[in-house]
Amino acid sequence: MKNKILSIIIICVVLLLDLIFIFSKEKDYSSLENRYLSKIPQFKIDHVWDGRFMNNFTNYVKDQFPFRDFFMGIKTNFEKMTLKTKINDVYLGKDNYLIDNYNSIKNKDKLIRIFNDFNDNNKINLNLVLVPTSISFNEDKLPNFSNYSNQLEDINYIYKNISFNNIDLFEDLNSNNKNEDMFYHLDHHWTTDGAFIAYKNIISKLGYNALEKNNFNVKTVSNDFYGTLYSKTNDYTRKPDSIKIYEYNNNLNVYYVDDNKNINSLYEFDYLNKKDKYSLFLDNNHSLIVITNNNIDSNNELVVIKDSFANSLVPFLANHYKKVHVIDPRYYMENISKYISDNPNIKDGIILYNINTLEDDLGVYRIK
């Protein structure tokens, strides 16, 4: 009798979930995972034969399944109960830390050729900045017996084999990480404090005197930042991060070329009401942004070729140049060398990427 009742309950639950799935409105975006969800695929005979239709339909069902976030949270809690210490290649660290795993770069020599070729094609003061991530600074927060590759070995190998300048950030970030968090607990990016420490190192290598922290109005703009690593693990027991900005009195014009939009701020505060709060820096990622500082008398200009780590760094660099040209090769499809030659006041250049996603960043392979 008990087995029959249990079977009836299970059947009813399955039928109820099926009905909810059928009649629910299709969701476009998951704020928790910070990504667009799969749509129902179009039925095409050739897609059926080659398996694409079923693969796409499976992804659609997974993404649109009723109460998906709830069940994913249950799955994570179950995995934690089984003493699992890594979910979706993210370590469940101590003291509220979630830390991305790191696997050594296989195509280091190919990346070196790309960087060296780019330097050969451009007569500017070019500098490579490879940013170690949280795993290099917070080893004491990792679970016992964690197995990961050494980021510094890869960084040093690339630095030794490029034909132009490099800027090593490890020592500065590591020494300051003892007093302030250089990296978020629940997101893969560095904090604004970490970006500030990096700025001081970088700008001095470029020949400028760095501003000190007391030159800025430092304020916390959010205390509920749940970042990318939180979304990858669905570990809802974690406490949110805070986000700071360092304000400085500048007369700026920020031109988003792809949107043909001019504003006077380096921050888009609407993102503070969304999940992806890190995107408040430079309004997320754009193909090309040109920042003009009307307080600067010289004609010195800087080009920054970058991933999203640079978004919280650029506001500091903009205090020293008449113009900063910010190029994200993931979205910028034109020839970057031609862009530099078309802007002859560009004297300094930075290629800045975090080492953890360098090899998988398709934009890197479009640097030319």
Side-chain angles (χ1 to χ4, degrees), residues 23-171:
F23 292 104
S24 292
K25 184 179 179 181
E26 191 176 79
K27 296 179 181 178
D28 294 323
Y29 186 79
S30 169
S31 59
L32 178 64
E33 297 175 82
N34 191 28
R35 69 177 181 88
Y36 289 96
L37 300 175
S38 299
K39 299 286 190 178
I40 189 167
Q42 290 185 331
F43 183 84
K44 295 181 180 180
I45 294 296
D46 56 331
H47 288 186
V48 173
W49 288 118
D50 64 19
R52 274 184 288 174
F53 178 81
M54 285 308 301
N55 285 337
N56 293 336
F57 187 78
T58 299
N59 290 333
Y60 166 74
V61 172
K62 286 180 180 178
D63 279 2
Q64 301 293 338
F65 192 80
F67 312 115
R68 179 173 182 272
D69 293 344
F70 171 75
F71 287 116
M72 288 171 66
I74 290 177
K75 176 177 176 290
T76 295
N77 286 331
F78 177 78
E79 290 177 320
K80 288 170 66 178
M81 288 171 60
T82 62
L83 303 182
K84 191 169 184 178
T85 60
K86 188 167 65 172
I87 296 174
N88 287 337
D89 220 26
V90 177
Y91 285 109
L92 307 179
K94 306 165 190 173
D95 299 334
N96 204 49
Y97 271 93
L98 298 174
I99 301 176
D100 251 336
N101 187 30
Y102 180 70
N103 296 305
S104 185
I105 296 174
K106 297 180 177 62
N107 293 317
K108 290 188 282 289
D109 291 328
K110 181 177 181 179
L111 293 168
I112 289 165
R113 286 195 298 272
I114 290 171
F115 295 144
N116 284 339
D117 288 346
F118 183 75
N119 178 63
D120 292 342
N121 291 331
N122 294 280
K123 305 306 177 186
I124 61 173
N125 172 32
L126 187 63
N127 301 265
L128 179 63
V129 185
L130 298 179
V131 184
T133 60
S134 181
I135 200 166
S136 289
F137 305 95
N138 295 302
E139 293 176 292
D140 59 319
K141 309 300 182 186
L142 290 168
N144 295 332
F145 311 112
S146 299
N147 184 24
Y148 56 94
S149 302
N150 189 317
Q151 292 184 332
L152 302 185
E153 289 181 359
D154 284 350
I155 291 174
N156 290 333
Y157 179 86
I158 295 173
Y159 279 172
K160 288 178 181 177
N161 288 281
I162 60 171
S163 58
F164 57 101
N165 304 325
N166 69 76
I167 300 177
D168 195 333
L169 301 178
F170 177 76
E171 292 300 333

